[in-house]
Amino acid sequence: MKFIGSLQQLGRAFMLPMIVLPAAAVFLSLSQLPWDWIGLPGMAEHLRAASDIIFVYLPFIFALGISLGLTGNALSAGIASLVGMAIYVGITAEASAEIEPTVLIGAMIGIVSGVSYERFKDLRLPEYIQFFGGPRFVPIFVSVLSLLFSIGILNLAPTLQHLMVELGDVVASGGGFGIFLYGFIHRILVVFGLHHLVSHVFWFQIGGYETEGGTMVYGDLPRFFAGDPEAGVFMAGLYPTMMFALPAIAFAIIHEAREDLKPKIRKTFLYAALASFLTGVTEPVEFAFLFVAPYLYVVHAILSGGIMWVTYELGIRHGFSFSAGAIDFLINKHLATRGWLILPIGIVVFAVYYLLFRWAITRFQIPTPGREEGSQLDEWAGDIPYRAPLILQAIGGKQNIVQMESCITRLRLKVSNDKIIDVNALRNLGAAGVIRLGGGHVQVVFGTFSELIREEMLKAITRDQAQVLFHSPVQGRMISLDEVPDPIFAGKLVGNGVAFLPDKGELVSPVKGEVIHIYPTMHAIGIRTPEGLEVLLHIGIDTSKLSGKSYFEAVVKEGDSVLPGALLIKFNLQRVRKESKSLATPMVITNSDIVHSWRYAPFKAVKKGQSSVMSVVLKESNGGGERT
């Protein structure tokens, strides 16, 4: 699994350089407009040249992007990759060999640069030449490797070029079944974030095409944009899945939601359906049922492969620069072969998926979002700065993060200890799923907000603020203080905070601190944190009259030190519910005047001891505190 964890980082690195391809596609599409009519006769050629040059320098872009993606944007790795590519191009051009830089070569040099940086970034040399140690050694090392590699490639190039074309012929000989296998594997690898690796092979390496200018281009995607009429077989079949199948699943989830939750689910999944239809970003919908019905995801992967087989047999050839969404469909339609057939196929696909998923959700009682109170994937884009510190705590704090990157739909983390990650808290904070890949590599799926979340988490890490983070003191549901049926707590006269409706008779400590007071009836307890916060936990409303161990039993005493999750009080849930006004259990800070700002997780179901339910930032005059 550690190997898979390393691959997911490589997959993310492959995605980084692809962000420039939409620009090439847009330029090429705009070049088809009648610019002469508006008095700009040279504009079409300028746009076409801008598109062409991106593909010419695509190997350099991949080398730079992959090296930066593997190293967290280390500049020395980026410089090394560009120097390596320059050496390769210089040597092969000087030898007058019929060798052109390809995306494969760029990827290889990018990987070597990234790996070299990780290997030598802490290299120590003798003091008199230490200037060339550490990261500065990486460009030198990669330059030497590129020199040797380029000399070697001069002898291997003819054979390699022949093998690339042959590999394309072998794959093509598989016909529709080969396309089906690609489609099936592609969807399965989406789960692990590794689909960019297999796509890279088919999109940028397999198959060759000689342009009118005599230049050879390799891979389904460059061949498509170069005008190869046979290119697009590994892209066309993705359009019906992303534009129609995933939106159909979203509508099925909406229609099977509970009536009381349907308005919220409708808003969330209409956005998810629109994102899939327009841009081809599918994970927000796929992860909504992946973890609760993995067998249904396998069916989805098989159907996706089957759709690709159908488009291949019908002679449909279409391509994209980013993903198979409606935007790419329209921009690149002028290059497609029988591309219009994708629309009627998509309508059939939509109907099949919609009926299948509505039947499966009902037949197997699949707990998709909206069918239970704990449904996730809520719409909370505006709360990202508000929740980022809580997400950071659920991951284990800044001390647990070794590396943090993001792609379109997920945070890609390498952590010191993935066992301390609070999955329940992350789901409560909006994560669609958490995937552990081994070796400390973890993915947290937040949909298209992932990059914004990463940025806010980085701000939280670097911001010098005294912050105290709270865990849930009970198992149950968190509610606002306003909902507590007591004017003293609801009016925040005792202090500010949150409350809980417990469904288990155990109260645990939400913070690290010292027990400073236990009320004689043991229905309430006070804790002082190292930062000076005084936290009051009060079990139920109007429970001070309930005395005796048959109601409450404290398992700690005044003066004890406690950690988050430590058991404080056991109580008879049924008796307290029956003989009190309410089970609402406030958790308030009685000296709220030292608090600068407050953050709360969504008011949803929580587990006992779950992290990231509340966070407070202390005023600067107090100092200290747990810092993020």
Side-chain angles (χ1 to χ4, degrees), residues 285-354:
V285 178
E286 288 177 316
F287 279 82
F289 67 92
L290 168 63
F291 295 101
V292 294
Y295 54 87
L296 195 56
Y297 190 89
V298 174
V299 173
H300 163 54
I302 294 172
L303 288 174
S304 182
I307 292 168
M308 294 199 69
W309 192 342
V310 170
T311 58
Y312 171 80
E313 295 294 348
L314 291 176
I316 302 172
R317 304 292 183 264
H318 208 323
F320 48 77
S321 58
F322 173 69
S323 190
I327 295 174
D328 259 300
F329 175 81
L330 294 174
I331 289 175
N332 303 314
K333 188 177 179 298
H334 65 284
L335 296 173
T337 302
R338 308 188 76 187
W340 64 271
L341 282 175
I342 287 174
L343 298 179
I345 291 173
I347 293 173
V348 174
V349 167
F350 183 94
V352 170
Y353 264 80
Y354 177 76

Coordinates of all heavy atoms in Angstrom, one line a residue, residues 285-354:
V285 N -20.1 13.4 -7.0 CA -21.3 12.5 -7.2 C -20.8 11.0 -6.9 O -21.5 10.3 -6.1 CB -21.9 12.6 -8.6 CG1 -23.0 11.6 -8.7 CG2 -22.4 14.0 -8.8
E286 N -19.7 10.6 -7.4 CA -19.2 9.2 -7.3 C -19.0 8.9 -5.8 O -19.3 7.8 -5.4 CB -18.0 9.0 -8.2 CG -18.3 8.9 -9.6 CD -17.1 8.8 -10.5 OE1 -16.1 9.5 -10.3 OE2 -17.2 8.0 -11.5
F287 N -18.4 9.8 -5.1 CA -18.0 9.5 -3.7 C -19.3 9.5 -2.8 O -19.2 9.1 -1.6 CB -17.0 10.4 -3.2 CG -15.6 10.0 -3.6 CD1 -15.1 10.3 -4.9 CD2 -14.8 9.3 -2.8 CE1 -13.8 10.0 -5.2 CE2 -13.5 8.9 -3.1 CZ -13.0 9.2 -4.4
A288 N -20.4 10.0 -3.3 CA -21.6 10.0 -2.5 C -22.2 8.6 -2.3 O -22.9 8.4 -1.4 CB -22.7 10.9 -3.2
F289 N -21.8 7.7 -3.2 CA -22.3 6.3 -3.1 C -21.2 5.3 -3.0 O -21.5 4.1 -2.7 CB -23.3 6.0 -4.2 CG -22.7 5.9 -5.6 CD1 -22.2 4.7 -6.1 CD2 -22.6 7.0 -6.4 CE1 -21.6 4.6 -7.3 CE2 -22.0 6.9 -7.7 CZ -21.6 5.7 -8.1
L290 N -20.0 5.7 -3.3 CA -18.8 4.8 -3.3 C -18.7 4.0 -2.0 O -18.6 2.8 -2.0 CB -17.5 5.5 -3.7 CG -16.2 4.7 -3.4 CD1 -16.2 3.5 -4.4 CD2 -15.0 5.6 -3.7
F291 N -18.7 4.8 -0.9 CA -18.4 4.1 0.4 C -19.6 3.4 1.0 O -19.4 2.5 1.8 CB -17.9 5.2 1.4 CG -16.6 5.8 1.0 CD1 -16.6 7.1 0.4 CD2 -15.4 5.2 1.2 CE1 -15.4 7.7 0.0 CE2 -14.2 5.8 0.8 CZ -14.2 7.0 0.2
V292 N -20.8 3.8 0.6 CA -22.0 3.1 1.2 C -22.4 1.9 0.3 O -23.2 1.1 0.7 CB -23.1 4.1 1.4 CG1 -22.8 5.1 2.4 CG2 -23.5 4.8 0.1
A293 N -22.0 1.9 -1.0 CA -22.4 0.8 -1.9 C -21.3 0.6 -2.9 O -21.4 0.9 -4.1 CB -23.7 1.2 -2.6
P294 N -20.1 0.1 -2.5 CA -19.0 -0.1 -3.4 C -19.3 -1.0 -4.6 O -18.8 -0.9 -5.7 CB -17.9 -0.7 -2.5 CG -18.6 -1.2 -1.3 CD -19.8 -0.3 -1.1
Y295 N -20.2 -2.0 -4.3 CA -20.6 -2.9 -5.4 C -21.3 -2.2 -6.5 O -21.2 -2.5 -7.7 CB -21.5 -4.0 -4.9 CG -22.7 -3.5 -4.1 CD1 -23.9 -3.2 -4.7 CD2 -22.7 -3.4 -2.7 CE1 -25.0 -2.7 -4.0 CE2 -23.7 -2.9 -2.0 CZ -24.9 -2.6 -2.7 OH -26.0 -2.1 -2.0
L296 N -22.1 -1.1 -6.2 CA -22.7 -0.3 -7.2 C -21.7 0.5 -8.0 O -21.9 0.8 -9.2 CB -23.7 0.6 -6.5 CG -24.8 1.3 -7.4 CD1 -25.6 0.3 -8.1 CD2 -25.7 2.1 -6.5
Y297 N -20.6 0.9 -7.3 CA -19.6 1.6 -8.1 C -18.9 0.7 -9.1 O -18.6 1.1 -10.2 CB -18.5 2.1 -7.1 CG -17.5 3.1 -7.8 CD1 -17.8 4.4 -7.8 CD2 -16.4 2.6 -8.4 CE1 -16.9 5.3 -8.5 CE2 -15.5 3.5 -9.0 CZ -15.8 4.8 -9.1 OH -14.9 5.7 -9.7
V298 N -18.8 -0.6 -8.8 CA -18.2 -1.6 -9.7 C -19.1 -1.7 -10.9 O -18.7 -1.7 -12.1 CB -18.0 -2.9 -9.1 CG1 -17.6 -4.0 -10.1 CG2 -17.0 -2.8 -8.0
V299 N -20.5 -1.7 -10.7 CA -21.4 -1.7 -11.8 C -21.3 -0.5 -12.6 O -21.3 -0.5 -13.9 CB -22.9 -1.8 -11.2 CG1 -23.9 -1.7 -12.4 CG2 -23.1 -3.2 -10.5
H300 N -21.1 0.7 -12.0 CA -20.9 1.9 -12.7 C -19.6 1.9 -13.5 O -19.6 2.3 -14.7 CB -20.8 3.0 -11.6 CG -20.2 4.3 -12.1 ND1 -20.7 5.0 -13.2 CD2 -19.2 5.1 -11.6 CE1 -20.0 6.1 -13.4 NE2 -19.0 6.2 -12.5
A301 N -18.6 1.3 -13.0 CA -17.3 1.2 -13.8 C -17.5 0.3 -15.0 O -17.0 0.6 -16.1 CB -16.2 0.6 -12.9
I302 N -18.3 -0.8 -14.8 CA -18.5 -1.7 -16.0 C -19.4 -1.0 -17.0 O -19.1 -1.1 -18.2 CB -19.2 -3.0 -15.5 CG1 -18.3 -3.8 -14.6 CG2 -19.7 -3.8 -16.7 CD1 -19.0 -5.0 -13.9
L303 N -20.4 -0.3 -16.6 CA -21.2 0.5 -17.6 C -20.4 1.5 -18.3 O -20.6 1.8 -19.5 CB -22.4 1.1 -16.8 CG -23.5 0.2 -16.3 CD1 -24.5 0.9 -15.5 CD2 -24.2 -0.5 -17.5
S304 N -19.5 2.2 -17.5 CA -18.7 3.2 -18.2 C -17.8 2.6 -19.2 O -17.6 3.2 -20.3 CB -17.8 3.9 -17.1 OG -17.0 4.9 -17.6
G305 N -17.2 1.5 -19.0 CA -16.4 0.8 -20.0 C -17.3 0.4 -21.2 O -16.8 0.5 -22.3
G306 N -18.5 -0.1 -20.9 CA -19.4 -0.5 -22.0 C -19.8 0.7 -22.9 O -19.9 0.6 -24.1
I307 N -20.0 1.9 -22.3 CA -20.3 3.1 -23.0 C -19.2 3.4 -24.0 O -19.4 3.8 -25.1 CB -20.6 4.2 -22.1 CG1 -21.9 4.0 -21.3 CG2 -20.7 5.6 -22.8 CD1 -22.1 4.9 -20.1
M308 N -17.9 3.3 -23.5 CA -16.8 3.6 -24.4 C -16.7 2.6 -25.5 O -16.3 3.0 -26.6 CB -15.5 3.5 -23.5 CG -15.4 4.6 -22.5 SD -13.7 4.9 -21.9 CE -12.9 5.6 -23.4
W309 N -17.1 1.3 -25.3 CA -17.1 0.3 -26.3 C -18.1 0.7 -27.4 O -17.8 0.6 -28.6 CB -17.4 -1.0 -25.7 CG -17.2 -2.2 -26.6 CD1 -17.1 -2.2 -28.0 CD2 -17.0 -3.6 -26.2 NE1 -16.9 -3.5 -28.5 CE2 -16.8 -4.3 -27.4 CE3 -17.1 -4.2 -25.0 CZ2 -16.7 -5.7 -27.4 CZ3 -16.9 -5.6 -25.0 CH2 -16.7 -6.3 -26.2
V310 N -19.3 1.2 -27.0 CA -20.3 1.5 -27.9 C -19.9 2.7 -28.8 O -20.1 2.7 -30.0 CB -21.6 1.9 -27.2 CG1 -22.6 2.5 -28.1 CG2 -22.2 0.7 -26.5
T311 N -19.3 3.7 -28.2 CA -18.9 4.9 -29.0 C -17.8 4.5 -30.0 O -17.7 5.0 -31.1 CB -18.3 6.0 -28.1 OG1 -17.3 5.5 -27.3 CG2 -19.4 6.5 -27.1
Y312 N -16.9 3.6 -29.6 CA -15.9 3.1 -30.5 C -16.5 2.4 -31.7 O -16.1 2.6 -32.8 CB -14.9 2.2 -29.7 CG -13.9 1.5 -30.6 CD1 -12.8 2.1 -31.1 CD2 -14.1 0.1 -31.0 CE1 -11.9 1.5 -31.9 CE2 -13.2 -0.5 -31.9 CZ -12.1 0.2 -32.3 OH -11.2 -0.5 -33.1
E313 N -17.4 1.5 -31.4 CA -18.0 0.7 -32.5 C -18.8 1.6 -33.5 O -19.0 1.3 -34.6 CB -18.9 -0.4 -31.9 CG -18.2 -1.5 -31.1 CD -17.2 -2.3 -32.0 OE1 -17.3 -2.2 -33.2 OE2 -16.4 -3.0 -31.4
L314 N -19.4 2.7 -33.0 CA -20.1 3.6 -33.8 C -19.2 4.6 -34.5 O -19.7 5.5 -35.3 CB -21.1 4.4 -32.9 CG -22.3 3.6 -32.4 CD1 -23.2 4.4 -31.5 CD2 -23.1 2.9 -33.5
G315 N -17.9 4.5 -34.4 CA -17.0 5.3 -35.1 C -16.9 6.8 -34.6 O -16.5 7.7 -35.3
I316 N -17.3 7.0 -33.3 CA -17.2 8.3 -32.8 C -15.8 8.6 -32.3 O -15.2 7.8 -31.6 CB -18.2 8.4 -31.6 CG1 -19.6 8.1 -32.0 CG2 -18.2 9.8 -31.0 CD1 -20.6 8.0 -30.9
R317 N -15.3 9.7 -32.7 CA -14.0 10.2 -32.3 C -14.1 11.6 -31.8 O -14.5 12.5 -32.5 CB -13.0 10.1 -33.5 CG -12.9 8.7 -34.1 CD -12.2 7.7 -33.2 NE -12.1 6.4 -33.9 CZ -12.9 5.4 -33.8 NH1 -14.0 5.6 -33.0 NH2 -12.7 4.3 -34.4
H318 N -13.8 11.8 -30.6 CA -13.9 13.1 -30.0 C -12.8 13.3 -28.9 O -12.3 12.2 -28.4 CB -15.2 13.3 -29.3 CG -15.7 14.8 -29.3 ND1 -14.9 15.8 -29.0 CD2 -16.9 15.3 -29.4 CE1 -15.5 16.9 -29.0 NE2 -16.8 16.7 -29.3
G319 N -12.4 14.5 -28.6 CA -11.3 14.7 -27.6 C -11.6 15.8 -26.7 O -12.6 16.6 -26.9
F320 N -10.7 16.0 -25.8 CA -10.8 17.2 -24.8 C -9.5 17.6 -24.4 O -8.5 16.8 -24.5 CB -11.7 16.8 -23.7 CG -11.4 15.5 -23.0 CD1 -10.3 15.4 -22.2 CD2 -12.2 14.4 -23.2 CE1 -10.0 14.2 -21.6 CE2 -11.9 13.1 -22.7 CZ -10.8 13.0 -21.8
S321 N -9.4 18.8 -23.8 CA -8.1 19.3 -23.3 C -8.1 19.2 -21.8 O -7.0 19.1 -21.2 CB -8.0 20.8 -23.7 OG -9.1 21.5 -23.2
F322 N -9.3 19.2 -21.1 CA -9.3 19.1 -19.7 C -10.1 17.9 -19.2 O -9.5 17.0 -18.6 CB -10.0 20.4 -19.1 CG -10.2 20.3 -17.6 CD1 -9.2 20.3 -16.7 CD2 -11.5 20.2 -17.1 CE1 -9.4 20.2 -15.4 CE2 -11.8 20.1 -15.8 CZ -10.7 20.2 -14.9
S323 N -11.3 17.8 -19.6 CA -12.1 16.6 -19.2 C -13.4 16.6 -20.1 O -13.7 17.5 -20.8 CB -12.5 16.7 -17.7 OG -13.1 15.5 -17.3
A324 N -14.1 15.5 -20.0 CA -15.2 15.3 -21.0 C -16.5 15.9 -20.5 O -17.5 15.2 -20.2 CB -15.4 13.8 -21.2
G325 N -16.5 17.2 -20.4 CA -17.7 18.0 -20.1 C -18.2 18.7 -21.3 O -17.6 18.7 -22.3
A326 N -19.4 19.4 -21.1 CA -20.0 20.0 -22.2 C -19.2 21.2 -22.7 O -19.2 21.4 -24.0 CB -21.4 20.6 -21.7
I327 N -18.4 21.8 -21.9 CA -17.5 22.9 -22.4 C -16.5 22.4 -23.4 O -16.4 22.9 -24.5 CB -16.8 23.6 -21.2 CG1 -17.9 24.3 -20.3 CG2 -15.8 24.6 -21.7 CD1 -17.3 24.9 -19.1
D328 N -15.8 21.3 -23.1 CA -14.9 20.7 -24.0 C -15.6 20.1 -25.2 O -15.1 20.2 -26.3 CB -14.1 19.6 -23.3 CG -12.7 20.1 -22.9 OD1 -11.9 20.5 -23.8 OD2 -12.3 20.1 -21.7
F329 N -16.8 19.6 -25.0 CA -17.6 19.0 -26.1 C -17.8 20.0 -27.2 O -17.7 19.8 -28.4 CB -18.9 18.4 -25.6 CG -19.8 17.9 -26.6 CD1 -19.6 16.6 -27.2 CD2 -20.8 18.6 -27.1 CE1 -20.4 16.1 -28.1 CE2 -21.7 18.2 -28.1 CZ -21.5 16.9 -28.6
L330 N -18.2 21.2 -26.8 CA -18.6 22.3 -27.7 C -17.3 22.9 -28.3 O -17.3 23.1 -29.6 CB -19.4 23.3 -27.0 CG -20.8 22.9 -26.6 CD1 -21.5 24.0 -25.8 CD2 -21.7 22.5 -27.7
I331 N -16.3 23.1 -27.5 CA -15.1 23.8 -28.0 C -14.4 22.9 -29.1 O -13.9 23.4 -30.1 CB -14.2 24.1 -26.9 CG1 -14.7 25.2 -26.0 CG2 -12.8 24.5 -27.4 CD1 -13.9 25.5 -24.8
N332 N -14.4 21.6 -28.9 CA -13.6 20.7 -29.7 C -14.5 19.9 -30.8 O -14.0 19.1 -31.5 CB -12.8 19.7 -28.9 CG -11.9 20.4 -27.9 OD1 -11.2 21.3 -28.2 ND2 -12.0 20.0 -26.6
K333 N -15.8 20.3 -30.8 CA -16.7 19.5 -31.7 C -16.2 19.6 -33.2 O -16.4 18.7 -34.0 CB -18.1 20.0 -31.6 CG -19.1 19.2 -32.3 CD -20.5 19.7 -32.0 CE -21.6 18.8 -32.8 NZ -21.4 18.9 -34.3
H334 N -15.6 20.8 -33.6 CA -15.2 20.9 -35.0 C -14.1 20.0 -35.4 O -13.9 19.7 -36.6 CB -14.8 22.4 -35.2 CG -13.5 22.7 -34.5 ND1 -13.5 23.0 -33.1 CD2 -12.2 22.9 -34.9 CE1 -12.3 23.3 -32.7 NE2 -11.5 23.2 -33.8
L335 N -13.4 19.4 -34.4 CA -12.4 18.4 -34.8 C -12.9 16.9 -34.7 O -12.2 16.0 -35.0 CB -11.2 18.5 -33.8 CG -10.4 19.9 -33.9 CD1 -9.4 19.9 -32.7 CD2 -9.8 20.0 -35.2
A336 N -14.1 16.8 -34.2 CA -14.6 15.4 -33.9 C -15.2 14.7 -35.1 O -15.5 15.4 -36.1 CB -15.7 15.5 -32.8
T337 N -15.2 13.4 -35.1 CA -15.9 12.6 -36.1 C -17.1 12.0 -35.5 O -17.1 11.3 -34.5 CB -14.9 11.5 -36.6 OG1 -13.7 12.1 -37.1 CG2 -15.6 10.6 -37.7
R338 N -18.3 12.3 -36.1 CA -19.6 11.8 -35.7 C -19.8 12.2 -34.2 O -20.5 11.5 -33.5 CB -19.7 10.3 -35.9 CG -19.4 9.8 -37.3 CD -19.7 8.4 -37.5 NE -21.1 8.2 -37.6 CZ -21.8 7.0 -37.7 NH1 -21.0 5.9 -37.5 NH2 -23.1 6.9 -37.8
G339 N -19.3 13.3 -33.8 CA -19.4 13.7 -32.4 C -20.8 14.0 -31.9 O -21.2 13.8 -30.8
W340 N -21.7 14.3 -32.9 CA -23.1 14.6 -32.5 C -23.8 13.4 -32.0 O -24.8 13.6 -31.2 CB -23.8 15.1 -33.8 CG -23.9 14.1 -34.9 CD1 -23.0 13.9 -35.9 CD2 -25.0 13.1 -35.1 NE1 -23.4 12.8 -36.7 CE2 -24.6 12.4 -36.2 CE3 -26.2 12.9 -34.4 CZ2 -25.4 11.4 -36.7 CZ3 -27.0 11.8 -34.9 CH2 -26.6 11.1 -36.0
L341 N -23.3 12.2 -32.3 CA -23.9 11.0 -31.8 C -23.8 10.9 -30.3 O -24.6 10.1 -29.6 CB -23.3 9.7 -32.4 CG -23.8 9.4 -33.9 CD1 -23.0 8.3 -34.4 CD2 -25.3 9.1 -33.9
I342 N -22.9 11.6 -29.7 CA -22.8 11.5 -28.2 C -24.0 12.0 -27.5 O -24.4 11.5 -26.4 CB -21.5 12.4 -27.8 CG1 -20.2 11.6 -28.2 CG2 -21.6 12.6 -26.3 CD1 -19.0 12.4 -27.9
L343 N -24.7 12.9 -28.1 CA -25.9 13.5 -27.5 C -27.1 12.5 -27.4 O -27.6 12.2 -26.3 CB -26.4 14.7 -28.2 CG -25.4 15.9 -28.2 CD1 -25.9 17.1 -28.9 CD2 -25.0 16.3 -26.7
P344 N -27.5 11.8 -28.5 CA -28.5 10.8 -28.3 C -28.1 9.6 -27.4 O -28.9 9.0 -26.7 CB -28.8 10.3 -29.7 CG -27.7 10.8 -30.5 CD -27.1 12.0 -29.9
I345 N -26.8 9.2 -27.5 CA -26.3 8.1 -26.7 C -26.4 8.6 -25.2 O -26.8 7.8 -24.3 CB -24.8 7.8 -27.0 CG1 -24.8 7.1 -28.4 CG2 -24.2 6.9 -25.9 CD1 -23.3 6.9 -28.9
G346 N -26.1 9.9 -25.0 CA -26.1 10.4 -23.6 C -27.5 10.4 -23.0 O -27.7 10.1 -21.8
I347 N -28.5 10.7 -23.9 CA -29.9 10.6 -23.4 C -30.3 9.2 -22.9 O -30.9 9.1 -21.9 CB -30.8 11.2 -24.5 CG1 -30.6 12.6 -24.7 CG2 -32.3 11.0 -24.1 CD1 -31.3 13.2 -25.9
V348 N -29.9 8.2 -23.7 CA -30.2 6.8 -23.3 C -29.4 6.5 -22.0 O -30.0 5.9 -21.1 CB -29.8 5.9 -24.5 CG1 -29.9 4.4 -24.0 CG2 -30.6 6.2 -25.7
V349 N -28.1 6.9 -21.9 CA -27.3 6.6 -20.8 C -28.0 7.3 -19.5 O -28.1 6.7 -18.4 CB -25.9 7.2 -21.0 CG1 -25.1 7.2 -19.6 CG2 -25.2 6.3 -22.0
F350 N -28.5 8.5 -19.7 CA -29.1 9.2 -18.6 C -30.3 8.4 -18.0 O -30.5 8.2 -16.8 CB -29.6 10.6 -19.0 CG -30.2 11.4 -17.9 CD1 -29.4 12.3 -17.2 CD2 -31.5 11.3 -17.6 CE1 -30.0 13.1 -16.1 CE2 -32.1 12.1 -16.5 CZ -31.3 12.9 -15.8
A351 N -31.1 7.9 -19.0 CA -32.3 7.2 -18.6 C -32.0 5.9 -17.8 O -32.5 5.5 -16.8 CB -33.2 6.9 -19.8
V352 N -31.0 5.2 -18.4 CA -30.5 3.9 -17.8 C -30.0 4.1 -16.4 O -30.4 3.4 -15.4 CB -29.5 3.2 -18.7 CG1 -28.9 2.0 -18.0 CG2 -30.1 2.7 -20.0
Y353 N -29.1 5.1 -16.2 CA -28.5 5.3 -14.9 C -29.5 5.8 -13.9 O -29.5 5.4 -12.8 CB -27.4 6.4 -15.1 CG -26.0 5.8 -15.2 CD1 -25.6 5.3 -16.4 CD2 -25.1 5.7 -14.1 CE1 -24.3 4.7 -16.6 CE2 -23.9 5.2 -14.3 CZ -23.4 4.7 -15.5 OH -22.2 4.1 -15.6
Y354 N -30.4 6.7 -14.4 CA -31.4 7.2 -13.4 C -32.3 6.1 -12.9 O -32.5 6.0 -11.7 CB -32.2 8.3 -14.1 CG -33.3 8.9 -13.3 CD1 -33.1 9.8 -12.3 CD2 -34.7 8.5 -13.5 CE1 -34.1 10.3 -11.5 CE2 -35.7 9.0 -12.7 CZ -35.4 9.9 -11.7 OH -36.4 10.4 -10.9

